[in-house]
Structures are given as structure tokens and as C-alpha cells.
Amino acid sequence: MRRTLFACLTALCLASSPAMAWKPTTHAYFADIAAQDALDDGYITIPNLKTGQTLTYPVDPQAFEALNLARQQYRAGVLGPDAYPDIVTGQQVIHPVADESGVADGSNAWLQHVWDGFSGSPQQRAFRLGFLTHAAGDMYGHSFINYFTGGNFTLSPIDNAIRHVVLEGYIDKRLPANALTGSFFDASIAGIEEQIYQVMIRADPGTALDGRLLPYSL
């Protein structure tokens, strides 16, 4: 029984893990750029590559405070559904869109759940910012990867899966040589451990996690 369960979980992880748009290091690198842009002057700048125009948006005061006071928790959240609440849930429930029955409702329901559930301390708000930053990266990353590989990840034909893995690895290798040094991976869930458990793992009967966000919960 234990061997069968382990084999099933392993198969799920192996089959789904290449579907990640970026590797964790790439996610972390891009997220750090976004955080630096927010903190340097309290504004986010987004260039329009078609027109050459640069759009500027003020950073929400609570978001600015969270990034400034809890950068470690932000970096922890950037691991997103690739790590929380676990790899299988992230790849099989959070990343996909809603299925035909509407169960789980895919990414949107989970992102809203995380946003609402981590609204207290600056550490909580930094974590949710990181989690949604990961999702924003995936929105671009999956489209980018799928364009150059010829379509969504699939094991059949196998050459599609190979192209996905090779391209994701190539992008990761093209990060600046000094990108992963210093405090780049200085991440922590200190102060939010209980909130992660309550919001993302504890599926009490009748809660949002029970049967909807965690469709396989017991």
C-alpha cells in the first residue's frame, strides 16, 4: 500500500514538474527586480515595447511596507505553488484552469484564497505578494515557453517535453553570473508558519480547502 501510494505521488510529480514556466532561480531573479523597482522610489515602471512609452504606477502603501519590512517572507512566497502547499497540489490544482466540473477553479480561486488569507502582518502581506508575483511570472513564462516549444507541455510526443525542459534550463543558465549571490535566496517563513498551515493545509470540514481547493482532502 505504501509503495503504491509513493509510486503514484512520484509519478504525479515527475509528470507535472516540467510544466513549470521558469525554474525557481529564474522566478526569484525576476521577483527581486520587481521588488527593487517598487522600493527604490515607491513606483513601478513598465515600458511599452511597441510604443516606447514608459508607464508609471504608485506602489500600494501596505505593499511597500511589506516589501520593506519582510523581504525574506516575500522571497519565500515567490516559490509560489511550486512549493506551497505542496508540489502535487501546486502542479495539479493551482496551476491548471478550472476543469469541466468547476472543481477547485484552478489558479484564480487559490490566488484569491491566498490574498485574503495572508492580509494581517507585514510578513503575511509580503508572502502573498511573493506568491502572486510567482503567478504573474507564470502568466508570461508559460506563454513564452509554449510559443518557442510549439505548444503546451505534453509527454506525447516526447520531443515537446524535451523542448520545454531544454528551454527552461537555457533561460536559467542565461541569468547574470552574479544574480544568485549575496542575499538573493535569503528567504524565510518566520512568523507566518502557523498562517501557512491554517490557510493552505488545514482542510477542516466545511472550509474552502475541504473538497474545493483541495479536492483530494480526506
Side-chain angles (χ1 to χ4, degrees):
M1 176 64 179
R2 289 183 178 178
R3 290 184 178 180
T4 301
L5 178 60
F6 178 79
C8 290
L9 291 175
T10 302
L12 280 172
C13 292
L14 290 176
S16 60
S17 58
M20 292 184 283
W22 309 124
K23 291 185 179 294
T25 46
T26 308
H27 268 295
Y29 175 67
F30 289 150
D32 220 48
I33 292 176
Q36 290 286 7
D37 184 26
L39 291 175
D40 60 2
D41 59 0
Y43 289 86
I44 290 289
T45 55
I46 302 177
N48 186 321
L49 300 181
K50 286 187 176 181
T51 65
Q53 180 185 14
T54 298
L55 305 176
T56 304
Y57 301 93
V59 178
D60 177 83
Q62 287 195 338
F64 185 89
E65 178 192 42
L67 285 174
N68 192 44
L69 297 179
R71 192 66 167 274
Q72 291 177 312
Q73 286 75 12
Y74 170 74
R75 291 191 181 108
V78 168
L79 296 177
D82 293 344
Y84 308 98
D86 57 79
I87 296 176
V88 174
T89 301
Q91 295 300 312
Q92 298 296 321
V93 179
I94 303 178
H95 275 92
V97 296
D99 58 26
E100 294 180 358
S101 66
V103 173
D105 195 26
S107 301
N108 184 66
W110 259 100
L111 296 179
Q112 187 66 57
H113 181 70
V114 169
W115 184 260
D116 294 339
F118 291 87
S119 58
S121 67
Q123 289 73 24
Q124 290 185 27
R125 286 183 271 116
F127 178 85
R128 73 178 185 179
L129 282 173
F131 199 93
L132 268 70
T133 298
H134 179 109
D138 275 349
M139 289 177 65
Y140 171 78
H142 282 294
S143 298
F144 179 89
I145 295 292
N146 291 344
Y147 177 83
F148 286 102
T149 58
N152 295 334
F153 173 85
T154 176
L155 291 174
S156 179
I158 192 62
D159 59 332
N160 172 275
I162 293 173
R163 287 196 295 268
H164 272 256
V165 173
V166 170
L167 182 55
E168 291 163 15
Y170 173 78
I171 292 171
D172 189 65
K173 293 293 185 182
R174 299 301 296 175
L175 295 180
N178 63 346
L180 309 182
T181 60
S183 61
F184 184 76
F185 273 122
D186 185 14
S188 173
I189 59 170
I192 56 173
E193 304 97 322
E194 180 64 20
Q195 197 70 3
I196 289 174
Y197 170 68
Q198 294 291 342
V199 174
M200 309 183 80
I201 299 172
R202 182 171 177 173
D204 289 337
T207 63
L209 289 177
D210 177 40
R212 178 168 175 257
L213 296 176
L214 294 177
Y216 48 78
S217 62
L218 300 178

